[in-house]
């Protein structure tokens, strides 16, 4: 669907306002958690957002974008301004689609099984590279949700930490939707505890650099609990329309 240029101007203005406000909130939360703005990575979740709008955010200073569907990533790939921004994969990934994105993204945030890790490693090695990944944790232990259960994390890391072709950079989580802020703090704190516990254990292909958690409604809480990467979609681009 073609947008009128007035529509586009309005959209750009909204993104500008949101971008500024988010930057301020991130800085404030970083400071409150004893860190600085430079310690937090702001990744924009760009699903359903048209490349012109994404690129406008990049022109404002955004440096990290993440897609969560392979098909959508491929259809937008040629349009992203990737000279200035880094593209990551943040959604559920099917094993048979790894080969379609392996040479297009810098980080796959959503590895949650040995089978997927092995395929990522295999495809990376075919191209002579090592792929950075995060392990997704189902911190709310929700049925029908991606991510390894918290109690299975150690074992999974033990098995995939030895695989050539991947490097585990940290953890990612999408906690359950919570009515109360106190509930969301509990999930974020549990994630941070896992992150710290694993950091204490030495492993060849594992280093806990990135703790990716917090979305539009709760990224400040996540930062206060130790997140160093937040993934923000609707808070930057406005409400998603799936038409
Ligand atoms: C869509 C999405 C986000 C951002 O969600 P918002 O609530 O729009 O900020 C973050 N992480 C993942 C994996 C997503 O798919």
């Amino acid at each position: 669907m073609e947008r009128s240029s007035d529509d586009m101007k309005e959209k750009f203005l909204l993104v500008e306002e949101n971008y500024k406000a988010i930057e301020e909130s991130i800085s404030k939360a970083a400071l409150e958690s004893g860190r600085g703005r430079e310690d937090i990575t702001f990744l924009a979740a760009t699903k359903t957002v048209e490349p012109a709008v994404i690129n406008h955010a990049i022109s404002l200073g955004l440096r990290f974008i993440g897609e969560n569907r392979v098909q959508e990533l491929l259809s937008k790939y040629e349009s992203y301004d990737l000279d200035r921004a880094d593209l990551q994969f943040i959604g559920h990934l099917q094993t048979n689609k790894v080969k379609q994105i392996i040479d297009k993204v810098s980080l796959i945030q959503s590895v949650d099984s040995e089978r997927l890790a092995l395929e990522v490693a295999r495809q990376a090695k075919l191209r002579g590279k090592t792929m950075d990944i995060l392990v997704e944790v189902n911190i709310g232990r929700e049925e029908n949700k991606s991510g390894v259960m918290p109690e299975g994390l150690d074992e999974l890391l033990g098995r995939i930490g030895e695989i050539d072709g991947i490097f585990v950079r940290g953890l990612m989580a999408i906690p359950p939707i919570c009515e109360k802020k106190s509930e969301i703090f509990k999930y974020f704190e549990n994630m941070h505890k896992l992150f710290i516990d694993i950091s204490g254990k030495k492993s060849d292909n594992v280093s806990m650099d990135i703790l990716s958690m917090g979305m539009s409604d709760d990224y400040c809480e996540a930062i206060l609990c130790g997140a160093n990467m937040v993934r923000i979609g609707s808070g930057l681009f406005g409400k998603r329309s799936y038409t």
Side-chain angles (χ1 to χ4, degrees), residues 45 47 68 90-91 172 174 215-217 231-235 240:
K47 55 177 175 275
N68 68 339
I90 61 176
M172 184 269 239
I174 307 172
M215 313 201 300
S216 294
D217 291 335
R231 308 177 311 268
I232 299 172
S234 50
R240 281 183 285 277

Side-chain angles (χ1 to χ4, degrees), residues 116-133:
L116 180 56
L118 282 169
E119 176 61 7
V120 171
R122 193 175 76 87
Q123 293 293 343
K125 278 195 291 184
L126 281 175
R127 290 160 181 83
K129 62 186 244 173
T130 297
M131 189 71 216
D132 284 338
I133 64 165

Side-chain angles (χ1 to χ4, degrees), residues 1-5 7-8 50 52:
M1 186 191 66
E2 277 292 304
R3 280 176 186 280
S4 75
S5 67
D7 265 9
M8 214 49 169
E50 57 209 299

